[in-house]
Structure formats: structure tokens, C-alpha cells
Amino acid sequence: MTQLKNNTYTVGIDAGELVSFVVEGHEFIHQKGSPGWGSSDTEMFPIIGPVNEANFRVKTPKGEPVQDQHGLLRQMPYGLESQTETSAVFAKRYHAGTTVNNSKYPDKSTEPQLVWPYDFVFEKSFQLKDDGLEITFKITGEKGMPFMLGYHPAFKLHSSSPKIVAKDREISLDEVLAVGNRALKVPDCTSITLKDSKQITIETEGFGNFMCWTEVKNMVCIEPISFYPYDVEQSHLHEGFLHLDGTATFKVSLKPGA
């Protein structure tokens, strides 16, 4: 377990996964073992969304590699690159064509292994600042590589009637629950505030959109995304790709409030 700390915040990171963000005794992050989801955060890369209706294939300029829901990155372990009292950098390195075991097989998928036809390095950096926690994602790889990126943090809920505020829109937990597995689309948005017993604002750079998901009332995932995957049929998921120009950087800032 990696711990970051300053005078205001304490952060717990388990092999690259944000498992705790405590401010004045208040835990903002969903805890593993609690109802709702078995993780506390993850990344969606190089695709977002399911592909089961597209035979688990995604169209790229280098063929149709086998992918599963939200891509293969989450199936790979992070390595710790560097650490200080207030920062930590983790990375995953992938060589084109390497097969990665799929944890969804055989219970939730027909594909035992996933593959991607491009090299990449994916860095996830944590930096404590005076106003919160900044998480930076840096993708380095072959010029022109198609990709999507989503960040999937889960926030612990402490009250019975939390609100999600996005621009001029107020979203209730019941609205998120009603959408189910598809996740509620919040387009053209770079900042969302979760108003619970304590509030926290999620500010982003590079993503441009959010989606919100939960199936329980004790947590909610507020997910910055580069593309909302349910805007197209699964066989057309490639229409949502960005294309790498050497390096791409995305940021998420978690800023606690009153």
C-alpha cells in the first residue's frame, strides 16, 4: 500500500488503484467489500463500453483486435515508478500483439485473452496539492494509435439524498439508478460536483464528457470519458476513437469542499 499525506489530505493507493481519500476524517472513496462494486477506481482504455454484441472485436487501422468491456488496460498490473510524501507515479507497458488474460472469462465472456495491435505506455500519476488530489494520465505510443480513455472512480455516499451537479443540471441518485448498466450520459462537461454530507468537485482536462453509474445507494461512479459508447452500435465503436499524436495527457482533480 502506498500512502500520500500532507497537512490536509491522506491518500491510499493499492498497486495504482485509489482506495482512500480522507479529509478531516471523511472518506470520499468507495471501499472494497461494500455493496456496489468490487473496485474503487479503474481506467477504461483503449476502448470504453461493451463489445459483446460485436463479437468482442473493435475496428482499427491494424485489423480487429479482441477486446472486452472497457478494454484490456484494467487486466494489466501497475508498476510503481517513483514516490515522494505527496506524489506517486505508476505505469503499465504494453507490447503490440501480446495476449492478456481476461478475468471476465469464462463467467462473463467467451474470450479468454485480449490483444491490441499497438505498443503503448500508460502512466498514472498522483499529486497532492493545497486544494485536493490531482491525477494525471499520460499515454505514449505509436503516432496515430486509436484510443478512448475513461477514468472510473467510485465515491462513497454518506447521506440518503446526494445530488450530482453538472453545469446547470442537478441529477439525483434515483436518475442514475434508473439508467442502469448503460450509465447516465453527461455530455460536454468538464466539472461535476457531488453534494453529499461533504461535497467534492471532479474537474477534468482532456476528457470533455462524463457518465454516472451505480446500482446501489451507498456509492456512485462519476466517470470522466473521452466518448460516450452508447451513442453508437457496438460494431461502430471505432467512431469514437481519438488518435494519438505521440503523447496525450489527461487530468482529473478531486477538490473537496464544505
Side-chain angles (χ1 to χ4, degrees):
M1 179 73 72
T2 302
Q3 187 176 84
L4 310 181
K5 195 169 185 178
N6 62 13
N7 292 332
T8 310
Y9 313 119
T10 302
V11 169
I13 306 165
D14 182 8
E17 182 177 8
L18 178 64
V19 294
S20 180
F21 184 32
V22 176
V23 184
E24 296 177 348
H26 182 93
E27 176 63 78
F28 280 103
I29 302 301
H30 167 70
Q31 299 297 286
K32 295 181 181 183
S34 298
W37 189 40
S39 300
S40 56
D41 89 347
T42 193
E43 289 75 54
M44 299 174 280
F45 178 88
I47 67 163
I48 303 170
V51 282
N52 57 301
E53 294 174 7
N55 195 32
F56 297 96
R57 266 68 177 174
V58 179
K59 295 177 183 177
T60 79
K62 292 188 175 185
E64 298 189 8
V66 178
Q67 293 287 292
D68 209 323
Q69 182 163 347
H70 299 328
L72 56 63
L73 187 78
R74 58 174 53 194
Q75 307 291 344
M76 299 164 53
Y78 273 114
L80 178 63
E81 302 283 293
S82 63
Q83 181 185 353
T84 69
E85 286 187 4
T86 58
S87 69
V89 179
F90 296 83
K92 299 182 181 186
R93 290 174 170 81
Y94 180 79
H95 182 65
T98 304
T99 55
V100 175
N101 290 335
N102 184 11
S103 65
K104 290 181 175 291
Y105 176 84
D107 294 339
K108 296 182 178 180
S109 176
T110 60
E111 300 297 329
Q113 293 181 316
L114 311 178
V115 69
W116 188 241
Y118 299 85
D119 294 337
F120 65 79
V121 178
F122 190 98
E123 286 187 359
K124 182 181 186 180
S125 304
F126 298 87
Q127 176 72 58
L128 275 179
K129 300 199 167 186
D130 290 342
D131 60 351
L133 176 64
E134 183 178 88
I135 306 167
T136 301
F137 305 99
K138 181 181 176 183
I139 303 161
T140 306
E142 182 178 333
K143 184 177 176 64
M145 182 183 80
F147 73 96
M148 305 171 197
L149 177 62
Y151 179 46
H152 193 308
F155 296 93
K156 181 177 181 178
L157 298 176
H158 297 258
S159 72
S160 58
S161 55
K163 297 290 184 183
I164 297 166
V165 179
K167 295 191 283 191
D168 297 328
R169 180 182 180 188
E170 187 174 274
I171 303 164
S172 70
L173 190 64
D174 285 341
E175 288 179 72
V176 179
L177 284 162
V179 178
N181 278 334
R182 290 176 67 89
L184 180 72
K185 178 183 177 182
V186 186
D188 303 321
C189 183
T190 60
S191 178
I192 280 183
T193 297
L194 173 61
K195 294 188 174 182
D196 196 27
S197 59
K198 300 274 188 180
Q199 77 173 40
I200 189 167
T201 298
I202 300 97
E203 296 181 357
T204 69
E205 296 178 22
F207 292 92
N209 311 277
F210 283 87
M211 61 184 183
C212 302
W213 170 80
T214 190
E215 295 181 343
V216 294
K217 292 193 172 185
N218 58 280
M219 59 150 259
V220 65
C221 294
I222 300 175
E223 307 169 34
I225 52 173
S226 63
F227 177 71
Y228 182 69
Y230 300 100
D231 280 340
V232 296
E233 294 181 4
Q234 291 183 18
S235 59
H236 292 268
L237 199 61
H238 60 282
E239 294 176 10
F241 277 138
L242 302 172
H243 296 274
L244 193 64
D245 188 12
T247 298
T249 302
F250 299 76
K251 291 185 178 181
V252 177
S253 296
L254 305 182
K255 298 185 175 181

